[in-house]
Amino acid sequence: MESVTIKNTQNAAILKFEFSDFIARSGNIEFKNIDETANSPLAKQLFYLPFVKTVYISGNFIAIEKYSIVEWEDVQEEVAKQIEEFVNNGGKIITEEAGAKKKVPSTIYVETTPNPAVLKFVSNKLLSKTPAEFKNIDETAASPLAKELFKFPFVKEVFIDENYISVTKYAVNEWDEVTAEIRSFIREYIENGNTVIDESLIEKMPQNEKQQEAYFDSLDVTSQRIINILEEYVKPAVAGDGGNIAFDSYDEKEKRVKVILQGACSGCPSSTFTLKSGIENMLKDMLNDHEIKVEALNA
């Protein structure tokens, strides 16, 4: 019997319904209305719900964007139940024809970040449910898109999370010389149905081992509280700037929290201020321990 796990996203209108196994192995598929659902009986059924605006199927999840006529907390359990019953009764999520790549209109817009070496390329589609950082082309087994981006000589690092891609450049070019080229490349890559990220490989990357539930469960209570604070209060704020601050470790004796700066946060001139005046003070206050210190391993 297949069960569905409900997961929030940074967009309050979009909710993910995750499966334990992959349901879409051939790229990302988006359905904007019921007329586009010939290749997905499940998406077609979901559009009969009056509040469903968009259905997105990728990797091991279905993401649904709702209209504002309802709140997710009022309907999410019923939607999860409907999806589970559909699948467990033998219903098809995607027919084989849907595996063929088809061009899907895509929008990419560009945002600056506090880090002058980093630009944020934001998509109108969900790209990844797990933050993924790539320091060089040798690390890109899980992301064909990141691999292609590293073929641009000015690309130094790539960070992908939710619906955006943060690109760090070398100083050999100015952003006004290359922004249009990168934006156009990413848009066409997504429109052609190419795989952005293989979620199953992302979870196996060494840098993501500490993001797994089993690792969380093995930690002491203070470390768990720190992770929850970072996830709830810090990540949404820094994600808006194209970055991430991930938990590495907590030394109870030294009262020292070590974190890893990712995306636009890595190498950002304002990151030290953010760590000391923002995160460190927040942890001191919320943990009621004024001896807490925060340091970045890659500041």
mmCIF file with all atom_site columns, all heavy atoms in Angstrom, residues 56-70:
data_model
loop_
_atom_site.group_PDB
_atom_site.id
_atom_site.type_symbol
_atom_site.label_atom_id
_atom_site.label_alt_id
_atom_site.label_comp_id
_atom_site.label_asym_id
_atom_site.label_entity_id
_atom_site.label_seq_id
_atom_site.pdbx_PDB_ins_code
_atom_site.Cartn_x
_atom_site.Cartn_y
_atom_site.Cartn_z
_atom_site.occupancy
_atom_site.B_iso_or_equiv
_atom_site.pdbx_formal_charge
_atom_site.auth_seq_id
_atom_site.auth_comp_id
_atom_site.auth_asym_id
_atom_site.auth_atom_id
_atom_site.pdbx_PDB_model_num
ATOM 1   N N   . TYR A 1 56 ? 1.848   19.660 -10.481 1.00 0.00 ? 56 TYR A N   1
ATOM 2   C CA  . TYR A 1 56 ? 3.235   19.492 -10.932 1.00 0.00 ? 56 TYR A CA  1
ATOM 3   C C   . TYR A 1 56 ? 3.736   18.142 -10.439 1.00 0.00 ? 56 TYR A C   1
ATOM 4   O O   . TYR A 1 56 ? 3.617   17.828 -9.250  1.00 0.00 ? 56 TYR A O   1
ATOM 5   C CB  . TYR A 1 56 ? 4.080   20.628 -10.360 1.00 0.00 ? 56 TYR A CB  1
ATOM 6   C CG  . TYR A 1 56 ? 5.547   20.577 -10.699 1.00 0.00 ? 56 TYR A CG  1
ATOM 7   C CD1 . TYR A 1 56 ? 6.029   21.131 -11.879 1.00 0.00 ? 56 TYR A CD1 1
ATOM 8   C CD2 . TYR A 1 56 ? 6.462   20.004 -9.825  1.00 0.00 ? 56 TYR A CD2 1
ATOM 9   C CE1 . TYR A 1 56 ? 7.378   21.111 -12.184 1.00 0.00 ? 56 TYR A CE1 1
ATOM 10  C CE2 . TYR A 1 56 ? 7.818   19.980 -10.123 1.00 0.00 ? 56 TYR A CE2 1
ATOM 11  C CZ  . TYR A 1 56 ? 8.271   20.538 -11.300 1.00 0.00 ? 56 TYR A CZ  1
ATOM 12  O OH  . TYR A 1 56 ? 9.611   20.515 -11.601 1.00 0.00 ? 56 TYR A OH  1
ATOM 13  N N   . ILE A 1 57 ? 4.238   17.312 -11.348 1.00 0.00 ? 57 ILE A N   1
ATOM 14  C CA  . ILE A 1 57 ? 4.712   15.972 -10.994 1.00 0.00 ? 57 ILE A CA  1
ATOM 15  C C   . ILE A 1 57 ? 6.190   15.867 -11.329 1.00 0.00 ? 57 ILE A C   1
ATOM 16  O O   . ILE A 1 57 ? 6.612   16.147 -12.448 1.00 0.00 ? 57 ILE A O   1
ATOM 17  C CB  . ILE A 1 57 ? 3.911   14.885 -11.750 1.00 0.00 ? 57 ILE A CB  1
ATOM 18  C CG1 . ILE A 1 57 ? 2.418   14.991 -11.396 1.00 0.00 ? 57 ILE A CG1 1
ATOM 19  C CG2 . ILE A 1 57 ? 4.437   13.495 -11.404 1.00 0.00 ? 57 ILE A CG2 1
ATOM 20  C CD1 . ILE A 1 57 ? 1.527   14.031 -12.169 1.00 0.00 ? 57 ILE A CD1 1
ATOM 21  N N   . SER A 1 58 ? 6.997   15.484 -10.339 1.00 0.00 ? 58 SER A N   1
ATOM 22  C CA  . SER A 1 58 ? 8.446   15.387 -10.541 1.00 0.00 ? 58 SER A CA  1
ATOM 23  C C   . SER A 1 58 ? 9.048   14.457 -9.500  1.00 0.00 ? 58 SER A C   1
ATOM 24  O O   . SER A 1 58 ? 8.675   14.511 -8.332  1.00 0.00 ? 58 SER A O   1
ATOM 25  C CB  . SER A 1 58 ? 9.094   16.771 -10.419 1.00 0.00 ? 58 SER A CB  1
ATOM 26  O OG  . SER A 1 58 ? 10.507  16.671 -10.513 1.00 0.00 ? 58 SER A OG  1
ATOM 27  N N   . GLY A 1 59 ? 9.985   13.622 -9.925  1.00 0.00 ? 59 GLY A N   1
ATOM 28  C CA  . GLY A 1 59 ? 10.699  12.767 -8.963  1.00 0.00 ? 59 GLY A CA  1
ATOM 29  C C   . GLY A 1 59 ? 9.758   11.891 -8.174  1.00 0.00 ? 59 GLY A C   1
ATOM 30  O O   . GLY A 1 59 ? 9.035   11.047 -8.718  1.00 0.00 ? 59 GLY A O   1
ATOM 31  N N   . ASN A 1 60 ? 9.712   12.121 -6.850  1.00 0.00 ? 60 ASN A N   1
ATOM 32  C CA  . ASN A 1 60 ? 8.869   11.298 -5.986  1.00 0.00 ? 60 ASN A CA  1
ATOM 33  C C   . ASN A 1 60 ? 7.710   12.086 -5.381  1.00 0.00 ? 60 ASN A C   1
ATOM 34  O O   . ASN A 1 60 ? 7.180   11.718 -4.341  1.00 0.00 ? 60 ASN A O   1
ATOM 35  C CB  . ASN A 1 60 ? 9.721   10.691 -4.854  1.00 0.00 ? 60 ASN A CB  1
ATOM 36  C CG  . ASN A 1 60 ? 10.171  11.743 -3.849  1.00 0.00 ? 60 ASN A CG  1
ATOM 37  O OD1 . ASN A 1 60 ? 10.350  12.909 -4.209  1.00 0.00 ? 60 ASN A OD1 1
ATOM 38  N ND2 . ASN A 1 60 ? 10.346  11.347 -2.605  1.00 0.00 ? 60 ASN A ND2 1
ATOM 39  N N   . PHE A 1 61 ? 7.331   13.205 -6.013  1.00 0.00 ? 61 PHE A N   1
ATOM 40  C CA  . PHE A 1 61 ? 6.248   13.975 -5.407  1.00 0.00 ? 61 PHE A CA  1
ATOM 41  C C   . PHE A 1 61 ? 5.301   14.586 -6.438  1.00 0.00 ? 61 PHE A C   1
ATOM 42  O O   . PHE A 1 61 ? 5.627   14.747 -7.605  1.00 0.00 ? 61 PHE A O   1
ATOM 43  C CB  . PHE A 1 61 ? 6.804   15.089 -4.507  1.00 0.00 ? 61 PHE A CB  1
ATOM 44  C CG  . PHE A 1 61 ? 7.558   16.167 -5.232  1.00 0.00 ? 61 PHE A CG  1
ATOM 45  C CD1 . PHE A 1 61 ? 6.890   17.269 -5.766  1.00 0.00 ? 61 PHE A CD1 1
ATOM 46  C CD2 . PHE A 1 61 ? 8.932   16.100 -5.371  1.00 0.00 ? 61 PHE A CD2 1
ATOM 47  C CE1 . PHE A 1 61 ? 7.573   18.273 -6.427  1.00 0.00 ? 61 PHE A CE1 1
ATOM 48  C CE2 . PHE A 1 61 ? 9.625   17.100 -6.025  1.00 0.00 ? 61 PHE A CE2 1
ATOM 49  C CZ  . PHE A 1 61 ? 8.950   18.185 -6.556  1.00 0.00 ? 61 PHE A CZ  1
ATOM 50  N N   . ILE A 1 62 ? 4.126   14.913 -5.934  1.00 0.00 ? 62 ILE A N   1
ATOM 51  C CA  . ILE A 1 62 ? 3.146   15.702 -6.667  1.00 0.00 ? 62 ILE A CA  1
ATOM 52  C C   . ILE A 1 62 ? 3.006   17.013 -5.905  1.00 0.00 ? 62 ILE A C   1
ATOM 53  O O   . ILE A 1 62 ? 2.780   16.998 -4.696  1.00 0.00 ? 62 ILE A O   1
ATOM 54  C CB  . ILE A 1 62 ? 1.784   14.989 -6.739  1.00 0.00 ? 62 ILE A CB  1
ATOM 55  C CG1 . ILE A 1 62 ? 1.903   13.689 -7.533  1.00 0.00 ? 62 ILE A CG1 1
ATOM 56  C CG2 . ILE A 1 62 ? 0.722   15.893 -7.354  1.00 0.00 ? 62 ILE A CG2 1
ATOM 57  C CD1 . ILE A 1 62 ? 0.660   12.815 -7.441  1.00 0.00 ? 62 ILE A CD1 1
ATOM 58  N N   . ALA A 1 63 ? 3.175   18.128 -6.581  1.00 0.00 ? 63 ALA A N   1
ATOM 59  C CA  . ALA A 1 63 ? 2.978   19.426 -5.957  1.00 0.00 ? 63 ALA A CA  1
ATOM 60  C C   . ALA A 1 63 ? 1.711   20.043 -6.520  1.00 0.00 ? 63 ALA A C   1
ATOM 61  O O   . ALA A 1 63 ? 1.459   19.978 -7.725  1.00 0.00 ? 63 ALA A O   1
ATOM 62  C CB  . ALA A 1 63 ? 4.177   20.335 -6.196  1.00 0.00 ? 63 ALA A CB  1
ATOM 63  N N   . ILE A 1 64 ? 0.903   20.598 -5.637  1.00 0.00 ? 64 ILE A N   1
ATOM 64  C CA  . ILE A 1 64 ? -0.354  21.212 -6.062  1.00 0.00 ? 64 ILE A CA  1
ATOM 65  C C   . ILE A 1 64 ? -0.368  22.670 -5.629  1.00 0.00 ? 64 ILE A C   1
ATOM 66  O O   . ILE A 1 64 ? -0.126  22.985 -4.459  1.00 0.00 ? 64 ILE A O   1
ATOM 67  C CB  . ILE A 1 64 ? -1.572  20.479 -5.462  1.00 0.00 ? 64 ILE A CB  1
ATOM 68  C CG1 . ILE A 1 64 ? -1.592  19.020 -5.931  1.00 0.00 ? 64 ILE A CG1 1
ATOM 69  C CG2 . ILE A 1 64 ? -2.867  21.184 -5.858  1.00 0.00 ? 64 ILE A CG2 1
ATOM 70  C CD1 . ILE A 1 64 ? -2.710  18.202 -5.293  1.00 0.00 ? 64 ILE A CD1 1
ATOM 71  N N   . GLU A 1 65 ? -0.629  23.551 -6.584  1.00 0.00 ? 65 GLU A N   1
ATOM 72  C CA  . GLU A 1 65 ? -0.831  24.962 -6.267  1.00 0.00 ? 65 GLU A CA  1
ATOM 73  C C   . GLU A 1 65 ? -2.324  25.230 -6.208  1.00 0.00 ? 65 GLU A C   1
ATOM 74  O O   . GLU A 1 65 ? -3.069  24.825 -7.101  1.00 0.00 ? 65 GLU A O   1
ATOM 75  C CB  . GLU A 1 65 ? -0.187  25.843 -7.342  1.00 0.00 ? 65 GLU A CB  1
ATOM 76  C CG  . GLU A 1 65 ? -0.337  27.328 -7.066  1.00 0.00 ? 65 GLU A CG  1
ATOM 77  C CD  . GLU A 1 65 ? 0.274   28.199 -8.159  1.00 0.00 ? 65 GLU A CD  1
ATOM 78  O OE1 . GLU A 1 65 ? 0.693   27.629 -9.193  1.00 0.00 ? 65 GLU A OE1 1
ATOM 79  O OE2 . GLU A 1 65 ? 0.312   29.429 -7.988  1.00 0.00 ? 65 GLU A OE2 1
ATOM 80  N N   . LYS A 1 66 ? -2.766  25.885 -5.142  1.00 0.00 ? 66 LYS A N   1
ATOM 81  C CA  . LYS A 1 66 ? -4.201  26.104 -4.944  1.00 0.00 ? 66 LYS A CA  1
ATOM 82  C C   . LYS A 1 66 ? -4.591  27.554 -5.213  1.00 0.00 ? 66 LYS A C   1
ATOM 83  O O   . LYS A 1 66 ? -3.761  28.468 -5.160  1.00 0.00 ? 66 LYS A O   1
ATOM 84  C CB  . LYS A 1 66 ? -4.601  25.740 -3.514  1.00 0.00 ? 66 LYS A CB  1
ATOM 85  C CG  . LYS A 1 66 ? -4.055  26.706 -2.466  1.00 0.00 ? 66 LYS A CG  1
ATOM 86  C CD  . LYS A 1 66 ? -4.609  26.425 -1.093  1.00 0.00 ? 66 LYS A CD  1
ATOM 87  C CE  . LYS A 1 66 ? -4.092  27.429 -0.067  1.00 0.00 ? 66 LYS A CE  1
ATOM 88  N NZ  . LYS A 1 66 ? -4.549  28.807 -0.323  1.00 0.00 ? 66 LYS A NZ  1
ATOM 89  N N   . TYR A 1 67 ? -5.867  27.739 -5.509  1.00 0.00 ? 67 TYR A N   1
ATOM 90  C CA  . TYR A 1 67 ? -6.418  29.092 -5.504  1.00 0.00 ? 67 TYR A CA  1
ATOM 91  C C   . TYR A 1 67 ? -6.678  29.491 -4.045  1.00 0.00 ? 67 TYR A C   1
ATOM 92  O O   . TYR A 1 67 ? -6.742  28.638 -3.152  1.00 0.00 ? 67 TYR A O   1
ATOM 93  C CB  . TYR A 1 67 ? -7.729  29.132 -6.297  1.00 0.00 ? 67 TYR A CB  1
ATOM 94  C CG  . TYR A 1 67 ? -7.543  29.008 -7.791  1.00 0.00 ? 67 TYR A CG  1
ATOM 95  C CD1 . TYR A 1 67 ? -7.878  27.822 -8.447  1.00 0.00 ? 67 TYR A CD1 1
ATOM 96  C CD2 . TYR A 1 67 ? -7.057  30.067 -8.551  1.00 0.00 ? 67 TYR A CD2 1
ATOM 97  C CE1 . TYR A 1 67 ? -7.713  27.702 -9.829  1.00 0.00 ? 67 TYR A CE1 1
ATOM 98  C CE2 . TYR A 1 67 ? -6.890  29.953 -9.927  1.00 0.00 ? 67 TYR A CE2 1
ATOM 99  C CZ  . TYR A 1 67 ? -7.223  28.766 -10.550 1.00 0.00 ? 67 TYR A CZ  1
ATOM 100 O OH  . TYR A 1 67 ? -7.058  28.637 -11.907 1.00 0.00 ? 67 TYR A OH  1
ATOM 101 N N   . SER A 1 68 ? -6.870  30.759 -3.803  1.00 0.00 ? 68 SER A N   1
ATOM 102 C CA  . SER A 1 68 ? -6.991  31.250 -2.427  1.00 0.00 ? 68 SER A CA  1
ATOM 103 C C   . SER A 1 68 ? -8.368  31.025 -1.805  1.00 0.00 ? 68 SER A C   1
ATOM 104 O O   . SER A 1 68 ? -8.620  31.475 -0.690  1.00 0.00 ? 68 SER A O   1
ATOM 105 C CB  . SER A 1 68 ? -6.657  32.748 -2.385  1.00 0.00 ? 68 SER A CB  1
ATOM 106 O OG  . SER A 1 68 ? -7.518  33.481 -3.246  1.00 0.00 ? 68 SER A OG  1
ATOM 107 N N   . ILE A 1 69 ? -9.228  30.299 -2.480  1.00 0.00 ? 69 ILE A N   1
ATOM 108 C CA  . ILE A 1 69 ? -10.586 30.101 -1.941  1.00 0.00 ? 69 ILE A CA  1
ATOM 109 C C   . ILE A 1 69 ? -10.615 29.163 -0.734  1.00 0.00 ? 69 ILE A C   1
ATOM 110 O O   . ILE A 1 69 ? -11.601 29.117 -0.002  1.00 0.00 ? 69 ILE A O   1
ATOM 111 C CB  . ILE A 1 69 ? -11.546 29.570 -3.032  1.00 0.00 ? 69 ILE A CB  1
ATOM 112 C CG1 . ILE A 1 69 ? -11.004 28.251 -3.634  1.00 0.00 ? 69 ILE A CG1 1
ATOM 113 C CG2 . ILE A 1 69 ? -11.755 30.607 -4.111  1.00 0.00 ? 69 ILE A CG2 1
ATOM 114 C CD1 . ILE A 1 69 ? -11.958 27.591 -4.611  1.00 0.00 ? 69 ILE A CD1 1
ATOM 115 N N   . VAL A 1 70 ? -9.521  28.413 -0.531  1.00 0.00 ? 70 VAL A N   1
ATOM 116 C CA  . VAL A 1 70 ? -9.445  27.523 0.633   1.00 0.00 ? 70 VAL A CA  1
ATOM 117 C C   . VAL A 1 70 ? -8.061  27.653 1.275   1.00 0.00 ? 70 VAL A C   1
ATOM 118 O O   . VAL A 1 70 ? -7.122  28.163 0.666   1.00 0.00 ? 70 VAL A O   1
ATOM 119 C CB  . VAL A 1 70 ? -9.677  26.037 0.252   1.00 0.00 ? 70 VAL A CB  1
ATOM 120 C CG1 . VAL A 1 70 ? -11.051 25.826 -0.330  1.00 0.00 ? 70 VAL A CG1 1
ATOM 121 C CG2 . VAL A 1 70 ? -8.589  25.544 -0.695  1.00 0.00 ? 70 VAL A CG2 1
#
